[in-house]
Amino acid sequence: MLTLHKAAAALPKPSRSRMCEFLRSFGFDPGKLFLHKLILGIETSCDDTAAAVVDESGKVWGEAIHSQTEVHLKTGGIVPPVAQQLHRENIQRIVKEALSTSKISPSELSAIATTVKPGLALSLGVGLSFSLRLVDQLKIPFIPIHHMEAHALTIRLLNKVEFPFLVLLISGGHCLLALVRGVSDFLLLGKSLDIAPGDMLDKVARRLSLIKHPECSTMSGGKAIEHLAKQGNKLHFDIKPPMQRAKNCDFSFTGLQHVTDRIITQKEKEEGIQKGQILSSAAHIAAAVQHTTACHIAKRTHRAILYCKQRDLLPQSNAVLVASGGVASNFYIRKALEIVTNATQCTLLCPPPRLCTDNGIMIAWNGIERLRAGVGILYNTEGIRYEPKCPLGVDISEEVGEAAIKVPRLKMEI
Ligand code: KG4
Ligand code: ZN
């Protein structure tokens, strides 16, 4: 027995990479043999029907997405029953497509993770009832996902980011700053007191009738503003950032929307054009509103970094700021954030734009994170409901405001 053992030890063990190569030469996919757990993620919280299969190592096996942006652009905003109908029409096809591009049969899945909060009730309902039918058929666990938690954790699929880190989530429906201390352990430092920046940019784009602009007709409002702003002069109009006196980390965007609206009305009068036609100064307006948005977001984020360092919630050097959500795919806003992180010895990390906007990968990855941490895995789905409104983590924004941290002025030369 002893000799046998020694002989076995003497034989060189093939390295994992050589074994993979060997298996590939027979047409096997080694990933399947050294199987990591696989999760199907499903997202229907707003206007994207998305699904993806991701494994524990972060490998994306397959994904599919159906965006409703073009339909909602035509109706001038999301009409919930229309979004619900489109989710219903597409969910089966999208899940099938994600599975078939993965070359994975549903029986190989370890769990299904689905967004159940927050979001549009009618949209969340479609993803949830579809998922519950599937977990029931497959007899596998269900992992309910908080949409904002998923946006916050996406970065860990791409980079080795340890907890704690600071996250700025800016999208069409959300705007918050939070300290991420663990997979489901968040401290909310600040949030928008009214609308989200993406919502404001969408409204400004609509007011500017950018859907009629030949270069922007199929773009979301925020993307259209970013595109047009490149052709404009941000100094042409002076739009002041909101909440300059409030020394907290909250945000506000309705004032910005109304000021911009007034500028547009004034310009329409001056140029003698009707509402619905494109102004000659549209690019200047887009540049000015994007600049003010970027400065406002940067300032609140700067204060959040200083607060976390002051309270030892983040390391003094090499702390990480993650920016995600649809609006974080804006490169002008990213540059403004980079000015802040350079001034505070932090590192800015942003997922690529396609992972900043809603997608199935972030939901599947959040499922993997929860599976690894052993939190929120349901073996019995009785009584599970979607929640249109649901805050993220423990709200300490009042304490942050009471600290009244003064933020040094930075030159926003973008
Ligand atoms: O994260 P997301 O796909 O959905 C929500 O959870 O809201 O974000 C969509 C929002 C829309 O308001 C859209 O106008 C905005 O993100 N957005 C952008 C850009 N791309 C999308 N805003 C600014 N710049 C962009 N490049
Ligand atoms: Zn989102």
Side-chain angles (χ1 to χ4, degrees):
M1 202 56 192
L2 192 70
T3 19
L4 257 180
H5 219 91
K6 268 195 178 157
L11 282 173
K13 216 174 147 205
S15 72
R16 192 169 160 131
S17 61
R18 279 179 59 194
M19 181 59 97
C20 289
E21 219 173 278
F22 174 73
L23 290 169
R24 271 197 206 100
S25 70
F26 287 97
F28 282 120
D29 185 336
K32 269 195 169 182
L33 289 183
F34 297 129
L35 203 52
H36 296 292
K37 285 188 174 144
L38 292 159
I39 288 197
L40 168 68
I42 298 178
E43 157 66 33
T44 64
S45 69
C46 190
D47 59 346
D48 292 299
T49 317
V53 178
V54 177
D55 76 17
E56 276 172 304
S57 73
K59 176 175 167 177
V60 177
W61 287 74
E63 68 163 315
I65 187 160
H66 174 264
S67 165
Q68 304 175 359
T69 303
E70 280 192 45
V71 176
H72 299 309
L73 274 175
K74 284 188 194 122
T75 50
I78 299 174
V79 181
V82 175
Q84 180 190 42
Q85 183 57 26
L86 290 170
H87 282 306
R88 279 189 182 142
E89 285 168 15
N90 290 289
I91 190 157
Q92 188 158 0
R93 174 178 68 81
I94 288 299
V95 170
K96 255 193 175 164
E97 206 177 305
L99 286 168
S100 63
T101 49
S102 309
K103 297 197 174 54
I104 274 166
S105 91
S107 63
E108 289 173 279
L109 295 169
S110 293
I112 293 178
T114 303
T115 309
V116 301
K117 60 192 173 185
L120 299 173
L122 295 179
S123 296
L124 288 166
V126 178
L128 179 59
S129 52
F130 182 89
S131 304
L132 292 184
R133 276 200 305 275
L134 207 52
V135 290
D136 194 45
Q137 271 169 28
L138 298 170
K139 306 274 176 278
I140 54 174
F142 180 60
I143 308 176
I145 299 294
H146 190 298
H147 183 81
M148 303 315 284
E149 180 180 304
H151 271 307
L153 298 177
T154 309
I155 197 72
R156 282 164 49 90
L157 174 138
L158 309 155
N159 298 63
K160 205 171 158 16
V161 183
E162 304 290 347
F163 300 119
F165 60 88
L166 186 66
V167 74
L168 166 73
L169 298 177
I170 39 178
S171 69
H174 308 276
C175 178
L176 61 89
L177 272 161
L179 183 75
V180 191
R181 302 192 295 186
V183 171
S184 64
D185 182 4
F186 290 70
L187 286 184
L188 187 66
L189 305 166
K191 58 193 176 306
S192 175
L193 302 178
D194 39 61
I195 60 173
D199 191 9
M200 181 271 294
L201 293 172
D202 289 342
K203 285 180 169 131
V204 170
R206 223 175 294 144
R207 183 67 185 81
L208 284 169
S209 305
L210 297 189
I211 193 169
K212 292 189 190 151
H213 194 292
E215 291 166 26
C216 318
S217 61
T218 59
M219 292 178 187
S220 67
K223 197 162 183 204
I225 295 281
E226 180 176 25
H227 179 81
L228 208 60
K230 290 185 190 132
Q231 303 159 24
N233 175 3
K234 65 185 177 213
L235 303 175
H236 201 93
F237 297 100
D238 183 26
I239 308 178
K240 295 261 177 301
M243 298 180 78
Q244 299 212 69
R245 292 215 187 126
K247 291 195 182 63
N248 54 31
C249 292
D250 290 332
F251 304 80
S252 167
F253 295 95
T254 33
L256 202 51
Q257 183 209 326
H258 291 141
V259 170
T260 314
D261 207 54
R262 275 202 295 276
I263 293 174
I264 297 170
T265 307
Q266 176 67 26
K267 280 283 138 192
E268 281 168 348
K269 269 193 205 143
E270 280 173 32
E271 292 184 21
I273 68 163
Q274 299 287 316
K275 197 171 177 175
Q277 288 177 290
I278 296 181
L279 285 169
S280 67
S281 50
H284 297 323
I285 296 172
V289 77
Q290 178 179 252
H291 179 70
T292 308
T293 303
C295 291
H296 179 48
I297 291 172
K299 182 103 180 220
R300 315 321 274 185
T301 308
H302 193 169
R303 180 171 288 116
I305 293 174
L306 297 179
Y307 177 85
C308 288
K309 287 197 177 189
Q310 201 183 77
R311 303 285 156 117
D312 272 331
L313 295 168
L314 277 177
Q316 294 306 317
S317 60
N318 293 326
V320 171
L321 167 68
V322 171
S324 194
V327 179
S329 56
N330 182 297
F331 285 94
Y332 192 90
I333 293 172
R334 286 185 182 195
K335 278 191 199 147
L337 292 171
E338 219 165 66
I339 294 174
V340 171
T341 50
N342 287 342
T344 49
Q345 292 83 48
C346 292
T347 305
L348 173 67
L349 295 175
C350 307
R354 72 182 187 92
L355 292 180
C356 274
T357 47
D358 292 350
N359 62 85
I361 296 173
M362 70 182 201
I363 307 303
W365 175 249
N366 198 163
I368 295 281
E369 290 264 29
R370 282 186 162 261
L371 199 69
R372 289 201 303 209
V375 284
I377 305 150
L378 304 185
Y379 295 90
N380 178 351
T381 56
E382 225 169 276
I384 175 100
R385 301 269 182 277
Y386 57 78
E387 294 171 58
K389 283 201 163 64
C390 183
L392 182 74
V394 178
D395 190 346
I396 60 157
S397 54
E398 260 186 43
E399 271 171 71
V400 176
E402 279 159 17
I405 293 177
K406 214 168 172 277
V407 175
R409 192 177 278 274
L410 295 178
K411 262 205 166 143
M412 284 294 162
E413 277 169 3
I414 308 169

